[in-house]
Amino acid sequence: MVKYKEAVLDRTFAALADPTRRALLVRLEGEDALTVSELAKPFKMSLPAVMKHLDVLSDAGLIEKTKIGRSVTCELNAGPMEEAMQWLIRYQRFWSGALDRLAAFLEEDQCPPTPTSKIVQLPRRGRASPSKSGSGQIGRAHV
């Protein structure tokens, strides 16, 4: 049963990943049903291309197609989106909690600012030696 739900979730997210398919769902949102021709009108693509998008939405269970005579109508079915929302809400809680903990951590005064340090110029010693031992000229030191 878990694998079936995962497959449904995978198909839902795959169907929603395409902007044309999301636009088709938006068109169906406030309607009882629209014919394929009515759905295809605002899109600058062929009717067969729109029908392929509708097939993906239908396979994901996001629309229901009904054929009456030669006319095919489509209706929105938001059920699979509800399952996707439940899945996303689980991760929203995770991220909200993690971000709340980060904000609380940042608001704590764990590292109070240090007083402004004075830069003191130390006297120069002889010429810098070419050795890598670190001896030679000393520039500035923080006190």
Side-chain angles (χ1 to χ4, degrees):
M1 185 165 149
V2 172
K3 291 193 184 257
Y4 173 73
K5 289 213 181 251
E6 286 178 6
V8 169
L9 196 59
D10 291 346
R11 284 194 304 268
T12 301
F13 281 120
L16 294 173
D18 185 86
T20 300
R21 291 192 284 268
R22 289 193 307 268
L24 287 165
L25 292 174
V26 168
R27 293 217 355 113
L28 286 168
E29 187 176 354
E31 303 290 332
D32 288 333
L34 291 174
T35 66
V36 172
S37 299
E38 291 170 325
L39 280 169
K41 277 182 187 176
F43 297 99
K44 294 183 184 334
M45 62 177 69
S46 67
L47 188 60
V50 171
M51 290 173 66
K52 285 183 181 181
H53 283 294
L54 292 172
D55 286 341
V56 172
L57 292 170
S58 178
D59 291 343
L62 294 167
I63 63 168
E64 293 178 13
K65 293 195 276 184
T66 306
K67 185 172 183 175
I68 300 171
R70 294 178 53 178
S71 180
V72 177
T73 59
C74 300
E75 265 186 275
L76 178 65
N77 176 21
M81 285 188 274
E82 179 64 29
E83 288 180 36
M85 280 302 300
Q86 293 305 317
W87 188 86
L88 290 169
I89 286 169
R90 184 174 73 205
Y91 288 97
Q92 177 187 16
R93 284 191 298 257
F94 166 78
W95 283 111
S96 292
L99 292 173
D100 289 345
R101 288 189 302 278
L102 176 61
F105 174 77
L106 293 174
E107 288 173 1
E108 289 178 11
D109 199 15
Q110 292 191 5
C111 297
T114 58
T116 307
S117 61
K118 297 178 185 176
I119 298 178
V120 176
Q121 187 73 34
L122 296 178
R124 294 183 184 229
R125 296 186 194 183
R127 296 181 75 181
S129 70
S131 71
K132 297 180 190 242
S133 64
S135 63
Q137 185 176 1
I138 298 177
R140 296 180 176 184
H142 290 280
V143 178

